[in-house]
Amino acid sequence: MAFNPRDVARAGRKVYERHRAEFEQRHRDKYVLIDIRSERIYLADSPEAAYEQATAKHEIGPFHIVRVGHRAAYRSRGLHGVDSRVTR
């Protein structure tokens, strides 16, 4: 079954928002991996560690990842001579 990336992000953000206050108070800068099918949440110091937790529990995704307290899990660097809006 194929998933639209925007639908995955939307579903993941919806789950994250329910827990946002607690995460930002207690787990700032950690990574939250959300299995959008089961809505299970995996919290770790790195995206890889969160993914390993999920796969150890036999989760298959699709997953949404968030870095607590940040707009995105990863930052993109500006490219010289390229409009920075492309990377947002």
Side-chain angles (χ1 to χ4, degrees), residues 56-76:
K57 298 283 186 180
H58 305 288
E59 299 286 356
I60 58 172
F63 301 109
H64 178 71
I65 191 160
V66 177
R67 189 168 184 197
V68 178
H70 298 266
R71 288 180 39 186
Y74 300 99
R75 281 183 28 188
S76 60

Side-chain angles (χ1 to χ4, degrees), residues 46-57:
S46 71
E48 297 83 5
Y51 180 75
E52 287 176 13
Q53 287 177 25
T55 56
K57 298 283 186 180

Side-chain angles (χ1 to χ4, degrees), residues 2-3 18 21 24 31-32 59-60 69-70 76-77 81 84:
F3 287 89
R18 290 195 304 249
E24 290 186 357
Y31 290 87
V32 174
E59 299 286 356
I60 58 172
H70 298 266
S76 60
R77 295 179 183 231
S84 64

Side-chain angles (χ1 to χ4, degrees), residues 8-19:
V8 171
R10 189 177 302 116
R13 282 193 305 267
K14 186 176 175 182
V15 173
Y16 179 80
E17 286 301 320
R18 290 195 304 249
H19 303 277

Side-chain angles (χ1 to χ4, degrees), residues 21-50:
E22 176 190 353
F23 288 153
E24 290 186 357
Q25 183 179 37
R26 300 179 62 205
H27 303 292
R28 188 148 185 94
D29 294 328
K30 300 263 185 183
Y31 290 87
V32 174
L33 184 84
I34 301 165
D35 183 310
I36 66 156
R37 289 184 192 194
S38 66
E39 296 190 358
R40 288 191 182 108
I41 296 170
Y42 300 91
L43 185 69
D45 291 327
S46 71
E48 297 83 5

Side-chain angles (χ1 to χ4, degrees), residues 71-79 82-88:
R71 288 180 39 186
Y74 300 99
R75 281 183 28 188
S76 60
R77 295 179 183 231
L79 302 173
V82 176
D83 186 349
S84 64
R85 291 175 292 173
V86 173
T87 60
R88 288 186 189 166

